[in-house]
């Protein structure tokens, strides 16, 4: 075999080896890129699942926070109403205290007036009795002594009549005073009953240990409204914190999803380029 033929054969063998090496390298790279694509797909699928989970969680906690905010608003209104109720009950109790004081004073004054009227009645009865006796005496003496003036007898008779009228009027005054005293006593008793009822209402609304008629373990309206407000405020803070954390987790998973999407796109582009290179 000539040297020229041998050289051609050697060159063919060398070219074939190089071609085989290049083909094997491309095939290996394509397989590697295919694995990268599959891994990127898996990573993207996990990232999508994670993002969807955190998105649902964020939506849920946003709704819970909205509910907690609404509850806090309601509890705030209730506490304001309770505070307003406390002021009104305290004002009502003060008014009742003044009313019972006035009723007691009226009863006391009426009782004193009755005593004064009774003294006037006694004096009037005594005077009327004296006038009547004097009139009778004058009329008896007139019968025995014609010289006694008829005018004097008439005056005595008129005085007796007037004394009777005075007695009648003062007895009416005494009766009216008795009625007024009974009314004042009833008003005083009613005021005390009203005050007791208001005190009971006050105990239900606001705790007053100095005047309480209720069990100390009972919770007043003001205390319950305040506790409900505190609980609602804490719940709103916790819901807001949870919603913020869920939102941050969702954004973090969104970034991971974007990176996974970009990685898959890059891997697919590299694979498509490698496959195109093999076919060229």
């Amino acid at each position: 075999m000539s040297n020229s033929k041998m050289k051609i054969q050697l060159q063919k063998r060398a070219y074939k080896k190089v071609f085989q090496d290049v083909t094997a390298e491309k095939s290996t790279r394509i397989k590697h890129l295919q694995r990268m694509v599959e891994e990127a797909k898996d990573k993207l699928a996990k990232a999508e699942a994670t993002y969807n989970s955190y998105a649902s969680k964020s939506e849920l906690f946003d709704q819970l926070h909205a509910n907690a905010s609404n509850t806090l608003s309601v509890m705030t209104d209730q506490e304001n109403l309770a505070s307003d109720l406390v002021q009104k009950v305290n004002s009502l109790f003060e008014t009742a205290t003044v009313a019972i004081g006035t009723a007691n004073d009226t009863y006391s004054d009426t009782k004193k007036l009755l005593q004064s009227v009774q003294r006037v009645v006694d004096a009037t009865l005594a005077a009327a009795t004296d006038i009547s006796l004097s009139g009778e005496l004058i009329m008896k003496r007139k019968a025995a002594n014609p010289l006694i003036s008829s005018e004097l007898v008439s005056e005595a008779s008129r005085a007796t009549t007037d004394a009777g009228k005075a007695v009648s009027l003062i007895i009416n005054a005494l009766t009216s005073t008795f009625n007024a005293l009974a009314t004042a006593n009833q008003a005083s008793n009613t005021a005390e009953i009203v005050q007791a009822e208001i005190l009971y209402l006050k105990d239900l609304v606001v705790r007053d240990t100095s005047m309480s008629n209720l069990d100390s373990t009972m919770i007043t309206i003001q205390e319950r409204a305040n506790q409900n407000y505190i609980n609602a405020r804490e719940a709103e803070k916790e819901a807001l914190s949870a919603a913020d954390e869920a939102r941050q987790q969702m954004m973090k998973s969104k970034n991971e999803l974007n990176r996974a999407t970009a990685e898959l796109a890059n891997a697919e582009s590299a694979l498509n380029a490698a496959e195109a290179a093999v076919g060229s």
Side-chain angles (χ1 to χ4, degrees):
M1 181 179 298
S2 65
N3 290 334
S4 59
K5 289 183 178 180
M6 185 177 294
K7 287 180 180 180
I8 292 173
Q9 289 178 352
L10 289 175
Q11 288 176 353
K12 287 182 178 180
R13 290 195 189 101
Y15 175 78
K16 183 177 182 181
K17 184 176 186 304
V18 172
F19 177 78
Q20 290 174 345
D21 291 341
V22 170
T23 302
E25 182 181 351
K26 289 183 177 181
S27 177
T28 301
R29 176 169 173 74
I30 288 173
K31 289 180 180 180
H32 173 69
L33 291 173
Q34 288 174 339
R35 285 195 300 272
M36 289 183 62
V37 169
E38 294 301 320
E39 290 174 358
K41 287 180 178 180
D42 291 340
K43 187 175 182 180
L44 177 60
K46 292 178 181 178
E48 286 178 340
T50 301
Y51 170 75
N52 291 334
S53 175
Y54 281 126
S56 298
K57 183 178 179 182
S58 178
E59 182 179 357
L60 172 62
F61 279 98
D62 283 340
Q63 184 60 49
L64 291 176
H65 176 246
N67 294 340
S69 296
N70 291 336
T71 300
L72 177 59
S73 178
V74 172
M75 293 302 105
T76 300
D77 291 341
Q78 286 187 1
E79 188 187 36
N80 292 336
L81 289 174
S83 298
D84 184 59
L85 179 61
V86 168
Q87 293 179 358
K88 289 181 179 178
V89 170
N90 285 334
S91 177
L92 183 61
F93 182 77
E94 291 174 0
T95 301
T97 301
V98 172
I100 193 173
T102 302
N104 289 336
D105 291 342
T106 301
Y107 176 75
S108 178
D109 293 342
T110 306
K111 194 172 183 180
K112 291 178 182 178
L113 176 62
L114 177 63
Q115 293 172 351
S116 298
V117 172
Q118 285 177 327
R119 287 194 293 270
V120 173
V121 168
D122 292 339
T124 302
L125 287 175
T129 299
D130 291 340
I131 291 172
S132 296
L133 291 174
S134 297
E136 289 176 2
L137 179 61
I138 290 173
M139 284 184 283
K140 285 180 181 180
R141 287 186 177 182
K142 172 64 176 174
N145 186 0
L147 296 178
I148 294 177
S149 172
S150 297
E151 184 178 352
L152 177 62
V153 173
S154 298
E155 290 294 334
S157 176
R158 189 161 44 250
T160 300
T161 301
D162 291 342
K165 291 180 179 179
V167 170
S168 177
L169 290 174
I170 197 64
I171 289 177
N172 289 337
L174 180 62
T175 302
S176 298
T177 305
F178 268 119
N179 293 336
L181 182 64
T183 302
N185 184 46
Q186 183 179 6
S188 178
N189 293 335
T190 302
E192 290 179 354
I193 294 173
V194 170
Q195 186 187 42
E197 292 297 327
I198 295 175
L199 178 59
Y200 181 80
L201 174 62
K202 185 178 180 182
D203 281 335
L204 292 176
V205 175
V206 58
R207 189 175 301 283
D208 186 349
T209 55
S210 63
M211 305 183 70
S212 179
N213 293 324
L214 299 179
D215 185 351
S216 60
T217 60
M218 292 186 65
I219 300 177
T220 66
I221 293 175
Q222 183 187 37
E223 290 170 337
R224 188 178 300 280
N226 181 256
Q227 189 59 52
N228 288 342
Y229 167 74
I230 292 174
N231 293 340
R233 185 179 61 189
E234 292 301 319
E236 192 274 338
K237 287 182 179 178
E238 292 177 1
L240 177 60
S241 177
D244 288 341
E245 183 179 354
R247 196 175 299 110
Q248 291 174 3
Q249 291 174 338
M250 182 187 70
M251 295 305 298
K252 184 178 178 181
S253 64
K254 178 66 174 179
N255 293 334
E256 293 293 334
L257 176 61
N258 291 337
R259 279 195 292 269
T261 302
E263 288 177 5
L264 176 59
N266 292 335
E268 288 179 335
S269 295
L271 177 59
N272 291 334
E275 290 176 340
V278 171
S280 61

